[in-house]
Structures are given as C-alpha cells and as structure tokens.
C-alpha cells in the first residue's frame, strides 16, 4: 500500500488502527519524494477501509452554517458498523452521510472502500 494524503483504517478485534499515508499528492508537486511502500499482514476477520477526504470534509449537521463531519466521528462510525455485513455498512455510511449533508451541497468526491478478510 502507498497512500497519498489518505491512510487506511484497519479494524481488528474491534480496535481501529490508522495506517498513516505519505503527506504528498499524486501528480505534479514541488519536491516530490518516492512513496513509501507499506505492507500489512492481514488476518481472518480483519476489516480494511480505504477512503477519500470527502466524507470527513463534508459540511452539514444541525448548525445553520454547517460544520465538517470530521475524521473522529468517521472513525467512530466505522467502529460502530464494522461487525455488520458489508452491504449493511454501505447503507449505513450512505444514510449517515446524506443525513449529515442535509441541504448542503456535496463539496468533494466521496469514496469509501471496505473489505473483510
């Protein structure tokens, strides 16, 4: 795995571990460095999530001015749903995102990919 500004969440035995990314974009960039290769030893039952920043950066919520969803609530949500079947996780993540967004415009791409070993 090599990450560009977005890490990986690994959930094992109800503990979420964040695999940190390289802090640089893909593409043209001043002073680019080679991406570090990281290897994960996955175990049966592990759940892995790859994601863009669009979910956590989305404005919404109860405030009339809107706030970002942020990463800690995103991690908490993943921990709440990670033992459910993957199709249910997808539905809950979608419903939570749309409920949070409300009438606010979607500001970025949103991609969450999860798989269980």
């Amino acid at each position: 795995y090599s990450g560009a500004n977005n890490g990986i969440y690994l959930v094992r035995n109800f503990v979420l571990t964040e695999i940190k990314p390289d802090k640089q974009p893909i593409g043209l960039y001043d002073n680019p460095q080679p991406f570090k290769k990281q290897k994960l030893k996955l175990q049966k039952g592990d759940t892995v999530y790859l994601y863009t920043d669009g979910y956590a950066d989305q404005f919404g919520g109860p405030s009339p001015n809107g706030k970002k969803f942020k990463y800690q609530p995103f991690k908490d949500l993943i921990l709440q749903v990670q033992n459910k079947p993957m199709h249910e996780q997808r539905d809950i993540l979608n419903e939570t995102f749309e409920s949070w967004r409300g009438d606010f415009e979607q500001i970025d791409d949103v991609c969450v990919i999860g798989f269980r070993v």
Side-chain angles (χ1 to χ4, degrees):
Y1 159 78
S2 289
N5 288 322
N6 293 310
I8 290 178
Y9 295 152
L10 167 64
V11 180
R12 178 179 292 155
N13 298 322
F14 298 97
V15 175
L16 186 147
T17 302
E18 183 175 1
I19 312 303
K20 299 286 187 179
D22 290 310
K23 292 293 186 179
Q24 67 178 1
I26 295 174
L28 292 178
Y29 172 66
D30 290 336
N31 194 26
Q33 301 295 314
F35 284 96
K36 296 179 190 108
K37 186 190 311 183
Q38 300 185 61
K39 293 184 179 185
L40 302 174
K41 291 196 180 235
L42 300 177
Q43 300 175 4
K44 185 170 175 58
D46 286 352
T47 312
V48 178
Y49 301 89
L50 296 92
Y51 53 89
T52 62
D53 60 357
Y55 202 108
D57 285 350
Q58 179 61 48
F59 287 97
S63 167
N65 298 326
K67 292 183 173 185
K68 287 186 176 185
F69 190 82
K70 299 196 177 182
Y71 283 98
Q72 190 57 54
F74 182 51
K75 290 186 226 182
D76 293 343
L77 178 58
I78 285 173
L79 278 173
Q80 288 172 16
V81 301
Q82 66 85 35
N83 63 335
K84 296 183 181 302
M86 298 309 286
H87 69 278
E88 285 184 33
Q89 291 185 41
R90 177 199 60 217
D91 294 346
I92 293 168
L93 287 169
N94 284 340
E95 290 166 9
T96 302
F97 181 83
E98 289 302 325
S99 176
W100 175 263
R101 185 174 69 85
D103 293 332
F104 286 87
E105 184 178 334
Q106 184 173 327
I107 61 165
D108 201 355
D109 59 12
V110 176
C111 183
V112 179
I113 299 171
F115 64 91
R116 182 169 293 128
V117 178

